[in-house]
Amino acid sequence: MANEPSTERSPRDGVGQRMLAGSAHTALTGLPGLADALVEQTWGEVYTPDGPVAKDDLWLSCRDNIHSILTTLAGSGPSQQDLLRAARATGSRRAQQHCPLEWVLHAWRLGGQVLWTDLAARTGAQHPEELQQLVSAAGELWGVTERFSTEMALSYHTSEQEMLGGVELRTTMILDALLDGRAAEVRTEAEHLLDLGRGRGFVVAVAETSGEKQVSPRDLTQALRRRGLRSAWRLRTGCQVGIIGVDDGRTAQVTAALREHAVARIGVSQTLTALMEVGAGYRMAMLAMATLPRTGRARWRSTTACRTRWR
């Protein structure tokens, strides 16, 4: 189509860019070693042995995506749309595996560092005086890495939305209605799907995200489930918002579980019992969180009918 941007690559100009292209072409010969290096950095630190991604799967993904990035930097080979297929496949597969997106993004950033270290070493080892010229083209490496990373994340979100069918999608809609003060519209479904209402106690909690650090609702749910607490979570602007059943009064266990996976501030409402109170509980939790200073570390505050607790 006439309005689509051209996928043709413009001729490279500048010594630094030509050096980057040449180094990327040479680095392709060491592709397995680069994949090994990236897996070594991420396995155990980002991806865990008991996590949803097998080590062999991680290695194949690292190899395929490094190959695509280096081929793009070398300026030869398939079109960019073809080269982006590996990034899209990675995003879709990780979503299907329920792998936290923050793990994948972190690994992607480490991949850029692994590539830069290799390219710089190749250039500096042969012609130290040319290393500075390569540095002038470093922005292109990070730009390409970011472009592929963005494509991966878009594919992840697309696959995640496709999987949010049936009960999960309806649960999300019920949470939105409760948080927005429209409990009357979803009372019966909320009582059935979320096991709320009918006098059962619950609290509303908010867990703030912080820059590149994301709070995983899966981690929060599992931490609470280990303590015998049921919960449902919904991502809203800058926060994961959860409704947590505490009909036996175990609010202390709620804060203990949330602190295990907190990356920034956390707010928790007082214990409530009526579905019509979810909206008010949400506002309580947000207010409690807002009173905490931004210190760059996890902190929490909960509201009760007559007192406030600090960590």
Side-chain angles (χ1 to χ4, degrees):
M1 295 176 62
N3 292 331
E4 291 183 353
S6 172
T7 57
E8 295 295 326
R9 297 181 179 84
S10 59
R12 295 180 179 275
D13 53 357
V15 175
Q17 288 185 322
R18 289 195 294 273
M19 289 179 57
L20 180 63
S23 296
H25 181 77
T26 303
L28 282 167
T29 62
L31 184 58
L34 289 170
D36 288 342
L38 182 51
V39 170
E40 183 179 350
Q41 286 200 29
T42 56
W43 192 253
E45 177 186 345
V46 182
Y47 293 89
T48 57
D50 59 345
V53 181
K55 195 171 186 178
D56 288 346
D57 183 6
L58 177 61
W59 189 90
L60 290 172
S61 176
C62 290
R63 182 201 62 185
D64 293 346
N65 285 289
I66 289 174
H67 176 270
S68 294
I69 291 173
L70 287 175
T71 302
T72 299
L73 292 171
S76 60
S79 68
Q80 186 175 105
Q81 289 304 309
D82 288 335
L83 292 171
L84 285 169
R85 287 178 182 172
R88 292 169 181 151
T90 297
S92 178
R93 189 162 66 254
R94 295 294 178 260
Q96 293 167 5
Q97 293 168 327
H98 299 289
C99 175
L101 179 58
E102 60 266 26
W103 290 14
V104 194
L105 291 172
H106 189 177
W108 218 276
R109 285 186 288 273
L110 290 175
Q113 295 172 17
V114 166
L115 286 178
W116 173 250
T117 299
D118 182 79
L119 294 174
R122 289 176 184 276
T123 303
Q126 298 177 24
H127 307 287
E129 72 282 357
E130 295 179 348
L131 183 58
Q132 187 171 357
Q133 294 173 326
L134 180 65
V135 171
S136 68
E140 185 168 356
L141 167 62
W142 300 116
V144 170
T145 303
E146 180 66 23
R147 186 159 67 250
F148 277 69
S149 173
T150 299
E151 198 70 28
M152 179 279 299
L154 288 172
S155 179
Y156 183 102
H157 288 305
T158 298
S159 295
E160 191 174 47
Q161 288 302 314
E162 290 174 352
M163 292 187 297
L164 276 177
V167 174
E168 287 190 49
L169 179 57
R170 188 56 190 162
T171 299
T172 299
M173 296 173 67
I174 292 172
L175 286 174
D176 281 339
L178 293 174
L179 293 170
D180 292 339
R182 296 181 285 111
E185 300 176 12
V186 295
R187 179 187 299 276
T188 301
E189 289 178 289
E191 290 178 348
H192 176 68
L193 286 177
L194 305 180
D195 198 21
L196 292 175
R198 301 189 294 273
R200 289 186 172 91
F202 64 89
V203 296
V204 180
V206 291
E208 184 181 41
T209 59
S210 175
E212 68 179 37
K213 297 180 181 179
Q214 302 293 315
V215 181
S216 167
R218 188 174 299 105
D219 290 343
L220 296 174
T221 299
Q222 291 175 351
L224 290 162
R225 186 178 295 139
R226 286 194 295 269
R227 292 169 168 80
L229 299 169
R230 65 191 184 279
S231 65
W233 293 86
R234 176 74 168 108
L235 179 64
R236 290 206 159 186
T237 306
C239 294
Q240 289 287 348
V241 184
I243 301 175
I244 306 164
V246 290
D247 44 289
D248 53 1
R250 293 183 293 160
T251 54
Q253 293 193 38
V254 170
T255 54
L258 297 183
R259 284 158 57 185
E260 287 182 7
H261 299 283
V263 299
R265 302 177 297 174
I266 291 176
V268 182
S269 75
Q270 68 186 61
T271 301
L272 307 167
T273 57
L275 289 177
M276 299 297 292
E277 297 176 307
V278 171
Y282 177 36
R283 292 189 292 275
M284 288 181 201
M286 290 295 292
L287 179 61
M289 185 184 73
T291 60
L292 289 169
R294 296 180 183 273
T295 62
R297 64 186 181 89
R299 304 191 72 179
W300 68 273
R301 172 174 276 183
S302 65
T303 61
T304 64
C306 60
R307 64 188 176 86
T308 301
R309 285 188 65 185
W310 283 78
R311 179 184 180 193

